[in-house]
Amino acid sequence: MPRTKTPSARKTASKAPAGDVINLDNYAPAYLTWIANKLSSGASQAYLAAFDVGIESWRVLVLLAIEGSISAQKACGIIGMDKASMSRCFKSMQARGFIELSLDPQDGRARIATLTPAGRAVHDQIRDIAMERERAFLSVLSAAERKVLLDLLRRLHENLPAVEAATRDHFSRHHPHALQRRGPKDSES
């Protein structure tokens, strides 16, 4: 009896593009993106339902609970949000009484956010949910595996500048026009 492809394999084979493709089963950025997107989406839904606080505001609350106060620029650098999103987040959090905004005494243009008691209270309530979500997420790993995972994630995070440098190098060799589109900041160094 001749072997035939399963319907799903036949369907996939007919839609597969010619040439090389990324094997998503072995492509780390895909897993990191999928995990981050799904964790963020689930957290955002939970925090919005319980406290009317979105994921961006939660991330800023976490930074402020650690730092006490932080500039918009520093928060953008740590979280990876763009300046416009951070500005909207700060305005929303100020309107809700979670933060107070002031001008940086060293740079009169920079805005500094300071956590208020109301902001700290909502942070503490969400923190409990966040920690439970982390516990459930990591529950499939042993304590030793969790330690290794966090070490690997820190190292990958610290290596992101090398990824951007490799991207710029690749573009300069293969797609120089792309560097012009990305803007001066992205094409420097």
Side-chain angles (χ1 to χ4, degrees):
M1 181 183 280
R3 288 182 80 189
T4 59
K5 292 181 181 177
T6 63
S8 61
R10 199 172 33 249
K11 184 178 179 181
T12 302
S14 68
K15 291 187 176 187
D20 291 336
V21 296
I22 292 174
N23 178 349
L24 292 178
D25 287 336
N26 294 306
Y27 188 62
Y31 282 106
L32 292 170
T33 300
W34 297 335
I35 291 167
N37 287 346
K38 290 173 183 177
L39 280 173
S40 291
S41 176
S44 187
Q45 290 173 13
Y47 306 161
L48 281 167
F51 305 102
D52 196 27
V53 172
I55 197 70
E56 290 180 344
S57 294
W58 165 240
R59 291 173 180 157
V60 172
L61 285 170
V62 169
L63 284 179
L64 287 168
I66 294 165
E67 301 282 333
S69 64
I70 195 167
S71 71
Q73 182 177 356
K74 184 175 179 183
C76 285
I78 294 170
I79 297 173
M81 285 172 59
D82 62 76
K83 292 177 187 176
S85 294
M86 185 62 68
S87 177
R88 286 190 299 274
C89 185
F90 271 17
K91 286 179 186 175
S92 169
M93 292 176 72
Q94 181 183 32
R96 301 225 15 224
F98 296 158
I99 63 170
E100 292 176 352
L101 292 175
S102 60
L103 292 178
D104 184 342
Q106 271 66 37
D107 177 359
R109 297 168 295 160
R111 297 167 64 189
I112 303 289
T114 305
L115 193 61
T116 65
R120 182 61 197 219
V122 77
H123 164 273
D124 292 352
Q125 292 176 348
I126 295 174
R127 181 197 58 225
D128 294 341
I129 298 168
M131 297 306 294
E132 179 58 23
R133 288 176 55 80
E134 182 196 36
R135 186 206 59 73
F137 177 62
L138 297 177
S139 67
V140 297
L141 303 176
S142 69
E145 289 171 326
R146 288 191 296 271
K147 188 176 189 302
V148 169
L149 174 65
L150 287 171
D151 179 57
L152 293 171
L153 290 172
R154 279 187 207 96
R155 287 169 43 201
L156 289 169
H157 186 257
E158 291 167 1
N159 194 46
L160 287 174
V163 174
E164 293 308 313
T167 302
R168 286 189 301 273
D169 181 55
H170 181 85
F171 281 159
S172 69
R173 288 183 284 116
H174 301 286
H175 309 283
H177 63 281
L179 291 175
Q180 295 169 348
R181 286 192 218 147
R182 289 184 78 190
K185 181 181 178 202
D186 291 327
S187 61
E188 292 174 357
S189 70

